[in-house]
C-alpha cells in the first residue's frame, strides 16, 4: 500500500508525518523521503511508534546508503 504524507519534523533517528491515513502503532514501513536540497532518501525499515490527530511518529531502523552520481 502506498500513501502520501508531509514531514512535520525530520531527524536522523526518525520523523513525524502528517497524513490523512496514519498507520497503526507498531506497523513497519518503507519510506521514500523527498528532500529538495539532498534528493530522495530511502528508509528501508521504519516503525510507527505513535499516532494521534492525523500525525504519526516514525522511528528509522535501517536507512539505505546514499547514492552519489559520478
Amino acid at each position: 500500500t502506498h500513501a502520501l504524507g508531509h514531514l512535520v519534523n525530520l531527524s536522523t533517528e526518525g520523523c513525524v508525518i502528517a497524513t490523512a491515513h496514519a498507520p497503526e502503532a507498531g506497523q513497519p514501513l518503507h519510506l521514500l523521503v523527498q528532500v529538495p536540497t539532498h534528493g530522495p532518501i530511502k528508509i528501508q525499515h521504519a516503525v510507527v511508534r505513535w499516532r494521534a490527530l492525523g500525525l504519526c511518529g516514525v522511528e528509522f531502523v535501517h536507512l539505505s546508503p546514499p547514492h552519489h552520481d559520478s
Side-chain angles (χ1 to χ4, degrees):
T1 303
H2 290 87
L4 294 175
H6 297 278
L7 286 178
V8 176
N9 189 346
L10 176 65
S11 74
T12 57
E13 291 85 28
C15 64
V16 175
I17 301 171
T19 181
H21 303 288
E24 295 291 328
Q27 183 173 345
L29 302 174
H30 300 280
L31 301 174
L32 181 61
V33 179
Q34 298 290 341
V35 181
T37 57
H38 293 91
I41 300 170
K42 291 182 186 177
I43 292 89
Q44 296 273 337
H45 184 210
V47 178
V48 177
R49 294 299 180 200
W50 58 266
R51 70 180 213 162
L53 302 172
L55 299 173
C56 64
V58 177
E59 178 185 2
F60 300 152
V61 178
H62 184 264
L63 283 74
S64 293
H67 300 298
H68 298 286
D69 293 333
S70 300

